[in-house]
Amino acid sequence: MHSDIAQLVSLALYSPKPEESVTFFHDLLGMEISHREGQSVYLRAYEDFYQYTLKITEASQPGMEAVTWRAASPEALAQCVAHIEQTGLGGGWCADDYAHGPAYRFCTPDGHRMQVLWELDYFDAPPDLKSKLRSRPSKRPLRGVPVRRLDHVNLMAGDVPANRAFMQEVLGFKLREQKIGEGGAEVGAWLSVSALVHELALMRDASGARGRFHHVAYWYGAPQHLLDIADIFSDYGVRIEGGPAKHGTSQAYFLYCFEPGGNRVELFGDTGYLIFDPDWQTVVWNVANEGDLEKSSIWFGGALPKSFYRYGTPVVGGHSLEDIGR
């Protein structure tokens, strides 16, 4: 099936500490503030081509507001909407957000809020941010260890197969890697519409909750930058959950941390690998097997703590960072 979706555009998050969250992304990860409106702040990395890729809005607890995708064309948008409406998961059109044209809102079977659009505003750098490198939308910032672009999002799901099937059958995503657990249960899925291993990952929510957020990933390109940001995080009291290390799944160098509002952030240190094979066969990890469980998560580096598998936002009873420890 050909995908009507072309790319991941942006992620909107809730934070109970919005100014601290903005400071984290701006000062430590070098992102630029594009716009402020009401209780929301919009940010972009220096190689993001659109006006923003991250929206942070004040709320009582952390979590995800919505994921935004761009269709491949106006015609593809119409076709995508028609497919979604057939599932009964559509939420109608909206045109009330910054730098976006009309967007069609919908939910996954688990309840994750998403939207798809075609029209949006490209970033037009002012003179002080304009790069001499014509393929780069703005200069590399001179603060923190600046991330380069939005890479992917990871969502927790009560029912991985149902949500994976929705992304494949309705939106045309391709299943790149998969994790199978006890009894053959599908516990993880890595999906993409491009040569990337994933723009979207789904992992089973051990809490039994539905529709929660696991993490957003921004890309560095150079693994050295993971060591640099880990050094800075340690000095400035940012909690590092795992890494720097390397995944077996996706082959990417990574670091997981928590921004001040409580949402998990992943930093990628390279692209992992790219997929150009039109007949790609899904890579399957049997995580009921101890060897696959270990190597799929950590190819080398320290093991991920239990918080990685249990903590998501919004927080549910008994699974806060304090409750589950490090």
Side-chain angles (χ1 to χ4, degrees):
M1 176 181 176
H2 173 73
S3 179
D4 295 319
I5 303 294
Q7 67 177 138
L8 172 64
V9 169
S10 64
L11 175 72
L13 291 177
Y14 293 122
S15 171
K17 300 177 180 179
E19 287 306 316
E20 292 179 42
S21 295
V22 170
T23 296
F24 169 86
F25 286 104
H26 180 267
D27 291 5
L28 300 182
L29 300 187
M31 296 180 69
E32 301 286 357
I33 296 173
S34 298
H35 183 66
R36 291 179 181 267
E37 185 174 316
Q39 300 299 107
S40 300
V41 180
Y42 301 77
L43 302 101
R44 56 177 293 279
Y46 71 98
E47 289 190 349
D48 285 328
F49 281 87
Y50 305 131
Q51 282 285 6
Y52 71 93
T53 54
L54 180 66
K55 174 186 175 186
I56 296 174
T57 301
E58 184 174 4
S60 60
Q61 60 178 323
M64 186 186 83
E65 178 184 354
V67 181
T68 299
W69 305 96
R70 192 180 191 194
S73 67
E75 296 75 21
L77 175 59
Q79 186 165 293
C80 185
V81 170
H83 290 157
I84 295 169
E85 288 184 334
Q86 290 175 5
T87 69
L89 293 170
W93 291 91
C94 64
D96 57 356
D97 209 347
Y98 166 68
H100 279 187
Y104 186 81
R105 292 177 174 169
F106 63 97
C107 287
T108 67
D110 227 62
H112 304 102
R113 292 181 296 275
M114 296 185 176
Q115 58 183 12
V116 58
L117 50 73
W118 166 249
E119 298 176 10
L120 41 68
D121 294 346
Y122 286 82
F123 178 71
D124 185 14
D128 61 320
L129 291 181
K130 200 168 191 67
S131 175
K132 293 182 176 62
L133 185 60
R134 296 191 179 186
S135 59
R136 179 177 286 167
S138 59
K139 290 178 181 175
R140 187 181 193 274
L142 298 177
R143 63 180 181 276
V145 183
V147 291
R148 294 175 66 168
R149 61 164 174 81
L150 175 64
D151 192 87
H152 68 266
V153 294
N154 183 308
L155 305 178
M156 304 176 82
D159 187 338
V160 171
N163 288 273
R164 185 261 305 150
F166 174 81
M167 300 306 295
Q168 283 187 274
E169 296 167 10
V170 179
L171 301 180
F173 279 69
K174 296 176 181 177
L175 181 61
R176 303 306 200 174
E177 297 204 27
Q178 183 181 47
K179 292 189 181 184
I180 303 298
E182 294 288 345
E186 183 179 9
V187 298
W190 279 251
L191 302 119
S192 75
V193 292
S194 71
L196 296 177
V197 178
H198 63 320
E199 287 99 358
L200 176 70
L202 299 167
M203 60 185 290
R204 186 170 64 182
D205 194 331
S207 74
R210 290 165 51 90
R212 294 205 298 159
F213 171 75
H214 193 268
H215 71 260
V216 59
Y218 274 87
W219 184 64
Y220 275 126
Q224 176 61 43
H225 294 156
L226 292 181
L227 302 179
D228 296 336
I229 198 64
D231 190 47
I232 289 175
F233 283 172
S234 295
D235 231 0
Y236 283 80
V238 175
R239 178 171 171 179
I240 297 173
E241 183 182 35
K246 180 174 179 173
H247 286 309
T249 305
S250 81
Q251 296 189 36
Y253 291 86
F254 72 89
L255 179 150
Y256 290 105
C257 65
F258 297 98
E259 56 87 16
N263 294 299
R264 182 186 284 104
V265 177
E266 181 181 18
L267 301 172
F268 255 30
D270 66 351
T271 58
Y273 65 92
L274 300 174
I275 299 171
F276 300 102
D277 180 0
D279 193 32
W280 177 259
Q281 301 302 302
T282 302
V283 173
V284 179
W285 299 84
N286 179 9
V287 296
N289 175 290
E290 187 173 336
D292 267 14
L293 175 62
E294 177 185 357
K295 290 301 184 183
S296 65
S297 296
I298 303 291
W299 186 247
F300 60 75
L304 290 169
K306 59 184 179 180
S307 60
F308 182 80
Y309 302 99
R310 300 180 185 178
Y311 178 83
T313 53
V315 175
V316 296
H319 290 87
S320 73
L321 286 175
E322 292 73 22
D323 291 332
I324 60 181
R326 295 176 180 269

